[in-house]
């Protein structure tokens, strides 16, 4: 049931829908013939969603009364506003037994049923349609306010850090392996220090050459010594 934005204007028959707002007025559209015109602050305007029916216990909002009627009539029209005042009062007593009969006049009851049938005619009393709209709004609001899953960001960050650490470790390992391999290759490729041939060493360590030594002789000759 959707009566939001639906108004009545004193001195004008029928109901109207607010379609735009100007600087000093509002633009309204008649529910029946769809004609538009401006309504000013000087006009006596009443919003249906703000109207209530006097009752002994507590005042009953018009919307709630219409919901009761809608259920009672199984979604069909209700009693005509052209019926006698007594029939209309009897009907109201059925749906709202404690309504204040002194403060609620026959003209009020007439408008109550007249407006209901008009809203029914233009399709604004479809309870299921409004229910679906409300559920959709609630779902959209929940989706908009739904917080991110707890720990989701943390989990993603941890996973990334782990992957980075693993990758760094693997990179370091590969670098170390490459360095070791390069060392081995270098060591293998380096020529051995030449070793002096044994003959050279033997030559250096050979006995001193025999020298001749002159020694005086008593006889005045010479002798060869080793």
């Amino acid at each position: 049931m959707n009566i939001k934005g639906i108004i009545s204007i004193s001195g004008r028959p029928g109901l109207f829908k607010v379609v735009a707002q100007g600087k000093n007025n509002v633009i309204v559209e008649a529910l029946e013939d769809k004609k538009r015109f401006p309504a000013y602050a000087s006009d006596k305007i009443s919003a249906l969603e703000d109207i209530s029916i006097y009752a002994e216990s507590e005042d009953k909002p018009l919307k709630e009364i219409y919901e009761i009627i809608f259920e009672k009539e199984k979604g069909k029209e209700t009693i005509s506003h052209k019926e006698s005042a007594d029939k209309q009062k009897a009907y109201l007593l059925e749906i709202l037994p404690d309504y204040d009969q002194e403060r609620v006049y026959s003209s009020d009851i007439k408008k109550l049923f007249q407006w209901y049938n008009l809203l029914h005619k233009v399709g604004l009393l479809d309870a299921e349609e409004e229910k679906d709209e409300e559920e959709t709004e609630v779902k959209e609001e929940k989706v908009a306010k739904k917080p991110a899953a707890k720990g989701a960001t943390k989990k993603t960050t941890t996973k990334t850090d782990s992957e980075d650490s693993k990758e760094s470790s693997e990179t370091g390992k590969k670098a170390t392996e490459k360095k070791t391999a390069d060392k081995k290759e270098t060591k293998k490729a380096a020529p051995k220090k030449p070793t002096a041939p044994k003959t050279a060493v033997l030559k250096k360590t050979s006995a001193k050459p025999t020298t001749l030594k002159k020694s005086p002789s008593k006889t005045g000759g010479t002798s060869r010594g080793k």
Side-chain angles (χ1 to χ4, degrees):
M1 188 169 294
N2 185 12
I3 62 173
K4 187 176 181 179
I6 306 301
I7 64 172
S8 69
I9 301 175
S10 182
R12 289 180 177 271
L15 293 173
F16 309 89
K17 182 178 182 179
V18 178
V19 293
Q21 182 141 13
K23 187 175 180 179
N24 299 315
N25 58 40
V26 291
I27 306 301
V28 299
E29 179 182 88
L31 293 185
E32 288 186 284
D33 58 16
K34 306 299 181 183
K35 289 184 179 179
R36 297 186 178 187
F37 59 90
Y40 299 90
S42 57
D43 295 318
K44 189 177 180 181
I45 298 174
S46 300
L48 265 60
E49 61 182 342
D50 295 333
I51 296 176
S52 297
I53 300 297
Y54 293 118
E56 299 295 341
S57 55
E58 61 177 338
D59 297 347
K60 198 79 168 177
L62 188 63
K63 183 179 179 180
E64 291 185 19
I65 295 175
Y66 282 174
E67 288 173 348
I68 295 171
I69 296 174
F70 189 89
E71 186 176 350
K72 176 180 172 61
E73 300 296 343
K74 301 187 186 312
K76 298 180 180 179
E77 290 186 356
T78 188
I79 184 173
S80 172
H81 67 284
K82 294 180 180 179
E83 292 285 353
S84 66
D86 291 337
K87 286 185 177 181
Q88 292 180 38
K89 286 181 181 180
Y91 190 100
L92 184 56
L93 280 170
E94 285 184 39
I95 60 175
L96 190 62
D98 65 337
Y99 89 90
D100 193 333
Q101 299 186 41
E102 292 183 1
R103 301 173 71 186
V104 179
Y105 304 113
S106 297
S107 58
D108 298 324
I109 299 174
K110 182 178 180 178
K111 284 181 181 178
L112 175 72
F113 297 125
Q114 183 181 13
W115 290 348
Y116 178 92
N117 287 329
L118 178 55
L119 292 169
H120 181 278
K121 183 179 178 180
V122 298
L124 294 178
L125 295 179
D126 191 341
E128 290 299 325
E129 182 179 348
E130 185 193 17
K131 185 178 179 181
D132 292 341
E133 289 178 358
E134 289 178 352
E135 288 178 353
T136 301
E137 289 177 0
V138 170
K139 286 180 181 179
E140 290 177 352
E141 186 178 351
K142 284 183 178 180
V143 170
K145 292 183 178 181
K146 186 178 180 181
K150 187 177 180 181
T153 305
K154 186 176 180 181
K155 185 176 180 182
T156 303
T157 305
T158 305
K159 184 178 179 183
T160 304
D161 291 344
S162 177
E163 289 176 351
D164 290 344
S165 177
K166 186 177 179 182
E167 186 178 350
S168 299
S169 177
E170 290 179 354
T171 304
K173 187 177 179 182
K174 287 180 180 179
T176 304
E177 289 176 352
K178 188 175 184 300
K179 190 174 180 181
T180 304
D182 291 344
K183 261 185 182 181
K184 288 181 179 179
E185 289 294 327
T186 304
K187 187 175 181 181
K188 185 177 179 181
K192 290 183 178 180
K193 187 176 180 181
T195 304
K198 291 182 178 180
T199 52
V201 174
L202 290 174
K203 284 181 180 180
K204 288 184 179 180
T205 57
S206 60
K208 293 181 179 180
T210 302
T211 56
L212 293 176
K213 182 178 178 183
K214 290 182 180 182
S215 58
S217 173
K218 289 181 177 182
T219 58
T222 58
S223 62
R224 184 180 300 267
K226 293 182 180 179

